Amino acid sequence: MASSDRNRATRVAEAIKVELADLVAREIKDPRVRAGLVTVSHVEVNRDLTVADVGVSILAGEPAAVMKGLEAAAGFLRGPLARRLRLRVAPDLRFHHDRSQELASRLRDIVREDEERRAIADPPSESAADAGAESEPGAASEPGAESEPGAESEPGAASEPGAESEGDRE
């Protein structure tokens, strides 16, 4: 029985999330909420479905004002939500500001800045790029051709398997 309660609570929470997102976007006329770009990020309900904890992400606008507008509209939202979901008892909506998307964005910026700093501090070495060009199949090196500094080869070393060095021909 406990398992079916949890499954129902999960299904109702997901349905509340979808319907609340639509209600917030279309039905709330409060200018504090309209000024902000609000998304419903998650919903958790208790076992008897009387309380819904609603996490909202505020991507634009003043978060404190938007939260006050949502709290003021919570009573208004309960009726249409219960009718849309055909719930006998409308859950009490408790909104909180979910900052996970803000933190994820900030973390992405920090990682990007760190990667840029590392790229400036440790530029790719030219010898690694040249080594890739020299090891291409069919590329023969001419004797006496100038090589890049740091790309020295050992005397008597063959550039390709089975190739003879100048000293081996005599």
Side-chain angles (χ1 to χ4, degrees), residues 3 22 37 51 57 77 79 98 123 132 140 151 170:
S3 175
D22 185 55
L37 178 59
V51 177
S57 296
L77 293 170
D98 181 15
E170 292 178 11

Side-chain angles (χ1 to χ4, degrees), residues 4 20 23-25 32 36 39 43 47 50 58 67 90 96 105 111-112 120 124 129 135 140 145 150 153 163 168:
S4 65
L20 265 181
L23 286 169
V24 167
R32 297 174 292 188
T39 59
V43 175
R47 289 180 65 186
T50 58
I58 303 167
M67 290 306 297
H96 70 272
S105 176
V111 169
R112 188 176 305 122
I120 291 170
S135 64
S153 62
D168 293 337

Side-chain angles (χ1 to χ4, degrees), residues 3-163:
S3 175
S4 65
D5 287 345
R6 241 181 274 123
N7 289 338
R8 180 164 191 249
T10 303
R11 288 193 318 266
V12 169
E14 189 61 31
I16 288 173
K17 177 182 171 185
V18 170
E19 293 301 327
L20 265 181
D22 185 55
L23 286 169
V24 167
R26 297 173 190 255
E27 301 295 327
I28 295 181
K29 305 297 184 210
D30 190 326
R32 297 174 292 188
V33 178
R34 293 295 236 178
L37 178 59
V38 179
T39 59
V40 178
S41 59
H42 70 275
V43 175
E44 294 178 13
V45 294
N46 62 351
R47 289 180 65 186
D48 62 356
L49 307 177
T50 58
V51 177
D53 183 35
V54 181
V56 293
S57 296
I58 303 167
L59 305 174
E62 179 59 40
V66 172
M67 290 306 297
K68 286 202 184 292
L70 286 171
E71 290 166 4
F76 162 76
L77 293 170
R78 287 180 71 190
L81 182 65
R83 283 190 292 279
R84 286 184 179 196
L85 299 178
R86 297 186 182 121
L87 296 173
R88 192 166 23 119
V89 177
D92 182 30
L93 301 174
R94 297 180 182 168
F95 291 97
H96 70 272
H97 186 188
D98 181 15
R99 291 181 169 89
S100 62
Q101 289 182 346
E102 293 172 25
L103 294 174
S105 176
R106 188 170 159 211
L107 186 58
R108 258 193 313 273
D109 292 343
I110 291 170
V111 169
R112 188 176 305 122
E113 288 172 8
D114 185 52
E115 288 174 347
E116 290 171 358
R117 241 184 263 128
R118 287 184 183 200
I120 291 170
D122 300 329
S125 64
E126 293 178 21
S127 62
D130 292 339
E134 289 179 1
S135 64
E136 291 181 14
S141 62
E142 296 180 25
E146 293 183 28
S147 62
E148 294 289 325
E152 301 173 11
S153 62
E154 295 180 22
S159 61
E160 293 184 20

